[in-house]
C-alpha cells in the first residue's frame, strides 16, 4: 500500500497550535497517503490528541495548514471538515449512550443525503462487524466495551470518510479487549480505508500500521515505517518497554 | 431495629403535619368539605401524613438481596407504630403550643389560630384532644399499612376508589358546573350547601372507580393485547391502540371543556393554554436541545409587548401622549408572524453570546437576561415605549370580522388552536433531522460535532424557535388580559414554565399539557389554594423528581433510557453469574483533554 504515492490525502504543513500562550504543537509535518494506516505515538501530554483536534477543526492552528485532498481545511468548522471527509472514532468511544445502536449509526451518516449510499455503508458495517447487526435495537450504553468499539468504528465508517481518525482506541480497556480492538482495526484496514491512529500502546499500533510518527512535547521526533520503528533502539527504549 | 425505623418514619410524618399546620393548610380549611359533613380538607391534611407513614412503614423491604413482603398482621403493627409516632409528635406540638399559649406563637406563625387549636383538639380539652389525635392517626396509619400489605386485587381498587373520590371532592367547583351544563341532576352527588360530595355520591364514585380498576386488573392486559393485534397490526400506527384511544379522548375533552365548564373555569383554562404554549417553546430549548434556560420570561414579555406595539395599544400613563413611541396598526393575525420573527431574531441575539456556556453557567446567564427584561419594561427609561410601571392598555382582541376573542370561552379556543399548531410544529421538529441533531448535541456535544453536526447552528436554532413559540404565548397573554404591566413578567414565570416542563416530562409534548394543567390549572380551579400555589409547585416538582424522574407523561426516549438502565444492570448481573466477562457497562467516563 505504500508503493503508489500521489499527493497525500491528508497533510499537516508546519502546523503549530497554541492553547493561549502555551505551544502544544510545534512545526509539525505529517503526510498520510490514501489507503495507508499511519500511527502517531507519544507519551502523555505530548500533543497526540491536539494533533487530532487540529485536523478536525476543534482548534485552529496558529501557524501552518492542514490540507485535505489538496484543500486547506484549517480554520474551517468541525462540521465542515467532517463534511469534507474526515471521521473520528473518539477517545473512550463516546457513543451516544442513550441512543440505540441504530441511531448511533444513523448519526454517523448525518451529513449524507443519499439513502442508497447510506444503506450500502450500513451493509459494509454489518459485514465487517456482524455483532453490530444483532445489537441494532439495543441502547449503545448497555453494550460491552468491545461491542461499543465496533459501533464507534461503524459509526465513523457510515460517513464513508476519506480519512478515518482514531483517538487512542485501546484507552481504558482490559488487555484482552485491547487485542479485540486491534482485531477490529485490522478489519477496517482490510476495507482499504485510510486510517490515522493515535496510540499509547506502541507495540500494538506498530504491529498493524504501515508507518508511524513519534511525537514528543509537540514536536515530531521520529518518522519512519512501522518495521523500522519497531527495530529503532531509541524507540525500543522509550516506548516499547525494553531497557 | 425495625421498630426504630417505623418510629423514624412516623416522626417525620408528624413533622410534616406540623409544617402543614404552620403554613395554614389545616387551620384555614376547616370549612372546605370534601365528603358530607365529616370529611374536610383540614381533616385530610391532618391525617394524610399518618396514613402515608403507615403505608411506607408497611412497604416490602429488600434485605440481603431478598424482597420481604409483610403479612397483614406485621403490616398493621408496623403501620400502627409509625402512625402513632406521627400522631404523638404532632400532639406534643399541640400540647406545647397550648402550654405556652397559642397567642405567643401567632406573631411568628400567623396560621396558629384559635380555630386551628380548636380543630386539632376536636372541641375537647387539649389533653383529651391529644389522645384522640394519636388514636385517629394510628387508625389512619393502620389503614394505610393494611392497604399496602393487601394483595393487589384488593389494594388496586381500594387505592383507585380513594384517590378518585378525593379528586372528585376537590373538583367541587368544576364537576357540578359540567353537570348543570349537561342538565343533569347534581344534588345527589354534590352537597347543595357546602359544596363537597354527598356520602351517597362519594359511595357511587368510589364504587365505579373501584369497579373500573378491578376490570382493568382482570381483563386489561387481555383487552390491550387483542386491541393491539386487531387494530395496531393493521393500521401501521406507531402508537399503541390504548394510547391512541386515550389521545382521542383527551383531545375531545380539550375541545369540549369550555362548553362544559362555563366561563369562570374557561378563564383558568385559557391561562393553562398560554402556559402550555410557553411550555412547548421552552421544551424545545431545554427538552430537545438540552440548554437550560432560566430566562424564558424574556420571550414571554417580548411577545406581549411587541404585539401590543404592533396592534396599536396605548400607554397607560397620565401626562404623556397615549401613543407609544413606536406604534403600528396591524391586525392581530398579521402582527403574529412579525412578533414571532422578532422573537426568533431576539433568540439568536440571546443565544449568540451564551453559546459557549453549558449547564449551570448557561442557566445563570439566562437567569440574568430574564431579570433584565423585568427591570427594563418597568424602568422610567422605557415609559415612552412600553409605559413603564403602569404599562399599556387597549390591546387588540384578535377579532375576526367582529368576532372578538376576549371572552374566556372564545379565547380558550383561540389559544387551543395556537397550542395545537405549536405542538404539531414541535412534534415534526423532534422527529426530523433537526431533532436528531438536537438529541445528539444534548447527549454529547463534542461527539455531535465530530458527526458533522454544527452545534453552534443548532443551538441558535433552538433558541430562535423556542423564543418564537414563547413570544406567541406572550402575545396571546396580552390578548387575554387586554392590558400589560411589568408585574406579569417576573422571573417566576420562567421558573413556572420550567417547572411544568419538568413535571410533565422533558421532551414530551403531552407532558407539557399535563404539566400546565396540574401546575397552572389545579391551583386556579381551587381558588382557596391560590396562595399555596408555589408551595404546591415545589412539593409537586420534588415529588415527581424523586418518585418519577422521567416526568408524568414521559418522552418515549427518556423513559426508555431510565428503564433500560435497570434492564441492563439485570443483564449484567446475569452475565456475571454465568461467568462471562460482560465488559464495562454504562456511558464512558467524561474525557478531558
Amino acid at each position: 500500500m505504500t508503493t503508489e504515492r500521489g499527493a497525500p490525502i491528508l497533510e499537516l504543513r508546519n502546523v503549530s497550535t497554541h492553547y493561549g500562550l502555551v505551544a502544544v504543537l510545534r512545526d509539525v509535518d505529517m503526510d498520510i497517503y490514501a489507503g495507508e494506516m499511519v500511527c502517531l505515538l507519544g507519551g502523555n501530554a505530548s500533543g497526540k490528541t491536539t494533533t487530532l483536534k487540529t485536523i478536525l477543526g476543534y482548534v485552529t492552528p496558529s501557524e501552518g495548514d492542514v490540507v485535505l485532498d489538496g484543500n486547506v481545511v484549517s480554520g474551517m468548522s468541525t462540521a465542515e471538515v467532517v463534511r469534507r471527509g474526515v471521521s473520528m472514532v473518539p477517545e473512550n468511544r463516546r457513543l451516544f449512550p442513550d441512543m440505540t445502536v441504530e441511531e448511533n449509526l444513523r448519526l454517523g451518516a448525518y451529513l449524507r443525503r443519499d439513502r442508497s449510499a447510506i444503506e450500502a455503508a450500513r451493509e459494509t458495517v454489518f459485514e465487517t462487524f456482524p455483532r453490530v447487526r444483532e445489537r441494532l435495537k439495543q441502547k449503545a450504553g448497555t453494550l460491552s466495551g468491545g461491542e461499543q468499539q465496533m459501533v464507534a468504528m461503524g459509526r465513523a465508517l457510515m460517513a464513508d470518510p476519506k480519512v478515518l481518525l482514531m483517538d487512542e482506541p485501546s484507552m481504558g480497556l482490559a488487555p484482552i479487549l485491547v487485542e479485540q480492538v486491534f482485531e477490529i482495526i485490522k478489519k477496517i484496514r482490510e476495507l482499504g480505508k485510510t486510517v490515522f491512529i493515535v496510540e499509547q500502546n506502541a507495540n500494538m499500533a506498530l504491529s498493524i500500521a504501515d508507518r508511524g510518527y513519534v511525537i514528543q512535547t509537540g514536536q515530531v521526533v521520529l518518522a519512519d515505517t512501522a518495521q523500522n520503528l519497531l527495530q529503532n533502539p531509541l524507540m525500543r527504549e522509550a516506548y516499547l518497554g525494553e531497557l | 431495629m425495625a421498630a426504630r425505623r417505623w418510629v423514624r418514619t412516623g416522626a417525620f410524618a408528624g413533622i410534616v403535619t406540623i409544617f402543614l399546620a404552620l403554613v395554614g393548610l389545616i387551620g384555614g380549611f376547616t370549612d372546605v368539605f370534601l365528603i358530607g359533613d365529616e370529611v374536610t380538607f383540614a381533616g385530610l391534611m391532618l391525617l394524610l401524613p399518618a396514613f402515608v407513614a403507615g403505608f411506607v412503614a408497611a412497604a416490602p423491604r429488600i434485605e440481603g438481596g431478598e424482597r420481604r413482603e409483610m403479612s397483614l398482621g406485621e403490616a398493621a403493627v408496623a403501620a400502627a407504630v409509625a402512625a402513632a409516632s406521627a400522631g404523638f409528635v404532632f400532639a406534643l406540638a399541640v400540647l406545647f403550643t397550648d402550654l405556652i399559649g397559642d397567642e405567643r406563637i401567632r406573631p411568628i406563625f400567623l396560621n396558629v389560630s384559635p380555630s386551628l387549636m380548636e380543630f386539632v383538639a376536636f372541641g375537647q380539652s387539649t389533653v383529651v384532644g391529644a389522645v384522640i389525635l394519636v388514636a385517629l392517626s394510628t387508625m389512619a396509619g393502620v389503614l394505610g399499612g393494611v392497604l399496602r400489605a393487601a394483595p393487589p386485587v384488593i389494594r388496586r381498587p381500594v387505592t383507585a376508589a380513594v384517590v378518585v373520590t378525593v379528586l372528585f371532592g376537590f373538583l367541587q367547583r368544576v364537576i357540578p358546573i359540567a353537570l348543570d351544563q349537561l342538565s343533569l341532576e347534581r344534588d345527589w352527588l354534590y352537597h347543595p350547601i357546602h359544596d363537597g360530595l354527598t356520602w351517597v355520591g362519594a359511595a357511587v364514585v368510589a364504587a365505579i372507580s373501584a369497579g373500573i380498576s378491578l376490570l382493568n386488573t382482570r381483563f386489561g392486559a387481555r383487552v390491550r393485547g387483542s386491541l393491539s393485534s386487531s387494530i395496531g397490526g393493521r393500521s401501521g400506527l406507531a402508537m399503541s391502540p390504548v394510547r391512541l384511544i386515550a389521545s382521542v379522548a383527551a383531545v375531545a375533552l380539550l375541545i369540549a371543556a369550555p362548553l362544559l365548564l362555563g366561563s369562570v373555569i374557561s378563564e383558568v383554562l385559557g391561562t393553562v393554554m398560554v402556559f402550555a404554549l410557553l411550555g412547548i417553546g421552552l421544551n424545545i430549548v431545554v427538552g430537545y436541545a438540552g440548554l437550560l434556560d432560566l430566562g424564558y420570561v424574556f420571550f414571554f414579555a417580548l411577545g406581549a409587548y411587541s404585539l401590543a406595539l404592533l396592534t396599536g395599544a396605548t400607554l397607560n400613563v397620565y401626562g404623556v401622549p397615549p401613543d407609544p413611541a413606536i406604534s403600528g396598526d396591524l391586525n392581530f393575525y398579521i402582527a403574529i408572524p412579525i412578533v414571532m420573527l422578532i422573537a426568533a431574531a431576539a433568540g439568536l441575539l440571546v443565544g449568540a453570546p451564551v453559546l459557549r456556556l453549558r449547564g449551570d453557567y448557561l442557566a445563570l446567564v439566562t437567569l440574568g437576561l430574564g431579570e433584565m427584561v423585568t427591570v427594563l419594561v418597568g424602568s422610567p427609561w422605557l415609559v415612552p415605549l412600553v409605559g413603564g410601571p403602569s404599562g399599556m392598555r387597549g390591546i387588540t382582541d384578535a377579532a375576526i370580522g367582529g368576532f372578538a376573542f376576549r371572552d374566556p370561552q372564545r379565547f380558550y379556543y383561540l389559544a387551543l388552536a395556537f397550542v395545537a399548531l405549536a405542538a404539531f410544529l414541535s412534534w415534526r421538529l423532534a422527529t426530523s433531522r433537526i431533532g436528531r441533531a438536537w438529541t445528539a448535541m444534548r447527549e454529547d456535544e463534542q461527539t455531535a460535532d465530530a458527526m458533522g453536526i454544527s452545534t453552534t447552528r443548532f443551538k441558535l436554532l433552538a433558541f430562535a424557535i423556542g423564543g418564537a413559540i414563547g413570544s406567541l404565548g406572550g402575545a396571546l397573554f396580552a390578548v387575554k388580559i387586554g392590558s400589560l404591566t411589568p408585574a406579569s413578567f417576573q422571573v417566576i414565570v420562567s421558573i413556572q414554565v420550567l417547572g411544568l416542563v419538568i413535571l410533565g416530562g422533558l421532551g414530551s409534548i403531552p407532558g407539557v399539557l399535563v404539566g400546565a394543567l396540574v401546575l397552572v390549572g389545579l391551583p386556579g380551579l381551587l381558588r382557596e389554594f391560590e396562595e399555596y400555589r408555589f408551595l404546591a409547585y415545589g412539593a409537586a416538582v420534588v415529588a415527581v423528581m424523586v418518585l418519577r424522574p422521567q416526568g408524568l407523561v414521559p418522552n418515549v426516549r427518556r423513559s426508555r433510557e431510565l428503564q433500560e438502565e435497570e434492564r441492563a444492570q439485570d443483564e449484567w448481573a446475569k452475565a456475571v453469574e454465568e461467568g462471562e466477562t460482560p465488559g464495562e457497562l454504562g456511558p464512558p467516563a467524561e474525557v478531558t483533554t
Side-chain angles (χ1 to χ4, degrees):
Chain A
M1 283 180 199
T2 42
T3 47
E4 40 151 344
R5 288 210 166 178
I9 190 120
L10 179 68
E11 218 181 325
L12 274 71
R13 290 185 190 152
N14 308 54
V15 168
S16 299
T17 299
H18 288 73
Y19 287 148
L21 291 174
V22 184
V24 187
L25 294 183
R26 284 182 249 180
D27 208 16
V28 169
D29 264 307
M30 285 180 199
D31 313 301
I32 293 134
Y33 293 86
E36 259 193 324
M37 179 170 282
V38 177
C39 64
L40 176 61
L41 307 171
N44 282 328
S46 56
K48 298 189 306 289
T49 300
T50 304
T51 308
L52 286 188
K53 285 189 167 178
T54 308
I55 295 173
L56 212 55
Y58 281 129
V59 289
T60 307
S62 37
E63 273 166 62
D65 294 318
V66 178
V67 182
L68 177 70
D69 214 5
N71 302 309
V72 175
V73 295
S74 37
M76 289 180 180
S77 72
T78 304
E80 188 55 34
V81 177
V82 173
R83 184 188 303 281
R84 283 162 181 259
V86 181
S87 282
M88 172 145 97
V89 182
E91 192 178 355
N92 276 329
R93 307 174 292 280
R94 293 285 276 267
L95 295 179
F96 297 105
D98 293 326
M99 294 190 188
T100 62
V101 168
E102 171 130 51
E103 288 167 322
N104 267 281
L105 291 181
R106 266 173 61 170
L107 275 166
Y110 188 78
L111 292 172
R112 303 178 77 185
R113 300 266 182 179
D114 181 352
R115 274 168 197 247
S116 60
I118 294 177
E119 196 46 45
R122 241 166 79 103
E123 280 309 313
T124 312
V125 172
F126 292 158
E127 275 164 32
T128 320
F129 310 118
R131 287 287 280 281
V132 172
R133 194 203 297 268
E134 291 164 27
R135 305 284 180 192
L136 269 186
K137 299 287 171 216
Q138 208 168 318
K139 214 176 77 170
T142 66
L143 301 184
S144 74
E147 288 168 339
Q148 286 195 13
Q149 192 60 263
M150 290 182 206
V151 176
M153 302 269 177
R155 186 176 66 182
L157 287 175
M158 288 296 288
D160 192 22
K162 291 176 182 157
V163 181
L164 186 57
L165 310 178
M166 294 183 190
D167 193 2
E168 308 227 15
S170 73
M171 174 91 154
L173 293 180
I176 185 160
L177 280 173
V178 172
E179 266 176 57
Q180 216 179 324
V181 165
F182 279 91
E183 289 303 314
I184 294 169
I185 298 172
K186 270 187 200 161
K187 285 192 173 173
I188 288 185
R189 193 201 161 122
E190 284 158 18
L191 293 172
K193 293 284 170 195
T194 310
V195 179
F196 183 59
I197 173 172
V198 162
E199 253 302 338
Q200 275 195 324
N201 190 333
N203 258 324
M204 278 287 192
L206 287 173
S207 69
I208 56 169
D210 298 305
R211 289 190 298 123
Y213 291 90
V214 179
I215 192 169
Q216 232 170 38
T217 57
Q219 283 174 305
V220 174
V221 290
L222 277 173
D224 211 333
T225 63
Q227 282 294 323
N228 290 348
L229 283 177
L230 277 169
Q231 307 301 326
N232 189 315
L234 261 173
M235 212 29 226
R236 300 181 73 93
E237 193 181 308
Y239 296 106
L240 300 177
E242 289 175 26
L243 286 170
Chain B
M1 286 296 280
R4 184 190 272 178
R5 198 178 64 237
W6 301 333
V7 170
R8 211 185 305 137
T9 308
F12 181 73
I15 291 168
V16 169
T17 320
I18 296 173
F19 172 77
L20 292 175
L22 290 183
V23 298
L25 274 171
I26 295 177
F29 296 90
T30 48
D31 53 357
V32 176
F33 294 91
L34 293 178
I35 306 172
D37 294 322
E38 288 78 15
V39 182
T40 59
F41 180 75
L44 183 71
M45 284 293 116
L46 184 63
L47 295 179
L48 188 65
F51 179 85
V52 173
F55 193 84
V56 171
R61 293 192 54 86
I62 294 173
E63 272 162 19
E66 259 178 73
R67 190 182 157 88
R68 220 178 66 76
E69 305 262 0
M70 283 194 185
S71 72
L72 271 184
E74 283 175 303
V77 172
V81 171
S85 321
F88 185 69
V89 167
F90 186 70
L92 270 187
V94 174
L95 288 173
F96 174 73
T97 309
D98 193 57
L99 192 69
I100 63 170
D102 53 302
E103 71 283 350
R104 294 170 71 177
I105 291 185
R106 204 163 307 128
I108 308 168
F109 295 107
L110 299 180
N111 292 308
V112 184
S113 59
S115 75
L116 171 70
M117 293 310 287
E118 197 193 313
F119 179 74
V120 296
F122 302 94
Q124 313 285 325
S125 77
T126 323
V127 179
V128 178
V131 174
I132 300 179
L133 195 63
V134 174
L136 279 179
S137 294
T138 311
M139 277 158 62
V142 170
L143 277 180
V146 169
L147 183 62
R148 184 67 191 86
V153 77
I154 296 170
R155 187 174 70 230
R156 286 200 193 127
V158 172
T159 313
V162 170
V163 170
V164 174
T165 310
V166 170
L167 192 69
F168 266 65
F170 271 115
L171 294 177
Q172 52 187 256
R173 297 283 161 73
V174 180
I175 294 172
I177 297 175
L179 291 177
D180 280 347
Q181 296 282 330
L182 294 167
S183 18
L184 292 174
E185 183 56 44
R186 55 177 270 192
D187 283 354
W188 64 274
L189 186 58
Y190 283 94
H191 201 289
I193 301 163
H194 55 226
D195 295 340
L197 283 169
T198 60
W199 279 106
V200 177
V204 171
V205 170
I208 293 177
S209 37
I212 292 176
S213 164
L214 258 182
L215 287 177
N216 181 35
T217 316
R218 294 205 57 178
F219 304 111
R222 208 187 309 160
V223 171
R224 269 190 288 274
S226 66
L227 268 178
S228 319
S229 53
S230 63
I231 308 174
R234 257 175 278 148
S235 63
L237 277 169
M239 240 181 227
S240 79
V242 176
R243 244 189 116 112
L244 185 71
I245 292 168
S247 316
V248 170
V251 169
L253 207 63
L254 278 178
I255 292 173
L259 299 177
L260 286 178
L261 301 174
S263 70
V264 175
I265 291 167
S266 297
E267 163 93 45
V268 175
L269 291 178
T271 312
V272 170
M273 285 299 137
V274 168
F275 272 86
L277 262 179
L278 294 173
I280 291 172
L282 186 64
N283 183 44
I284 290 178
V285 183
V286 182
Y288 293 170
L291 304 163
L292 186 50
D293 182 353
L294 291 184
Y296 200 60
V297 66
F298 174 84
F299 298 104
F300 184 54
L302 189 71
Y305 278 100
S306 45
L307 179 86
L309 291 175
L310 285 170
T311 56
T314 52
L315 298 181
N316 211 1
V317 186
Y318 295 104
V320 183
D323 286 330
I326 304 168
S327 179
D329 192 22
L330 298 174
N331 179 291
F332 172 79
Y333 301 92
I334 297 172
I336 279 292
I338 303 176
V339 167
M340 292 177 72
L341 276 180
I342 294 174
L348 297 183
L349 280 180
V350 173
V354 298
L355 273 178
R356 293 180 166 276
L357 302 175
R358 286 177 209 182
D360 331 359
Y361 301 101
L362 179 67
L364 274 177
V365 172
T366 51
L367 184 66
L369 286 172
E371 188 62 15
M372 277 166 61
V373 169
T374 314
V375 174
L376 273 181
V377 292
S379 75
W381 185 53
L382 283 182
V383 168
L385 187 63
V386 297
S390 37
M392 303 181 79
R393 64 188 140 91
I395 291 155
T396 174
D397 53 12
I400 307 176
F403 189 87
F405 283 99
R406 179 75 30 84
D407 167 78
Q409 272 153 310
R410 292 183 185 174
F411 175 80
Y412 172 85
Y413 285 110
L414 180 72
L416 183 65
F418 277 105
V419 167
L421 206 69
F424 179 75
L425 177 81
S426 165
W427 171 64
R428 293 295 303 166
L429 275 172
T431 51
S432 70
R433 266 170 66 82
I434 297 173
R436 265 192 291 149
W438 278 334
T439 311
M441 189 172 87
R442 190 183 70 219
E443 289 195 7
D444 188 333
E445 195 176 324
Q446 204 180 359
T447 309
D449 244 322
M451 300 293 106
I453 294 165
S454 168
T455 47
T456 310
R457 228 168 67 201
F458 284 106
K459 278 186 188 177
L460 287 176
L461 193 67
F463 274 118
I465 296 178
I469 295 180
S471 73
L472 201 56
L476 281 170
F477 175 75
V479 169
K480 181 174 192 290
I481 63 170
S483 61
L484 298 174
T485 58
S488 308
F489 304 100
Q490 303 293 324
V491 159
I492 194 69
V493 175
S494 306
I495 308 298
Q496 273 178 301
V497 178
L498 187 65
L500 72 90
V501 171
I502 292 174
L503 187 82
L506 273 173
S508 153
I509 301 167
V512 168
L513 279 178
V514 172
L517 265 175
V518 171
L519 285 190
V520 182
L522 280 187
L525 293 179
L526 312 162
R527 280 293 149 86
E528 296 92 337
F529 298 92
E530 195 71 54
E531 58 180 302
Y532 295 100
R533 169 178 287 203
F534 292 112
L535 184 69
Y537 246 88
V541 171
V542 169
V544 166
M545 287 301 93
V546 172
L547 300 173
R548 207 176 148 86
Q550 70 271 43
L552 294 176
V553 191
N555 169 297
V556 180
R557 168 186 302 285
R558 295 215 181 225
S559 67
R560 192 180 66 202
E561 286 167 16
L562 288 161
Q563 285 163 9
E564 285 200 359
E565 212 104 299
E566 280 171 29
R567 209 171 304 145
Q569 280 170 8
D570 291 347
E571 272 171 33
W572 188 82
K574 214 172 87 192
V576 170
E577 250 168 50
E578 287 163 6
E580 290 173 27
T581 335
E584 327 98 298
L585 277 168
E590 194 59 38
V591 185
T592 43
T593 7

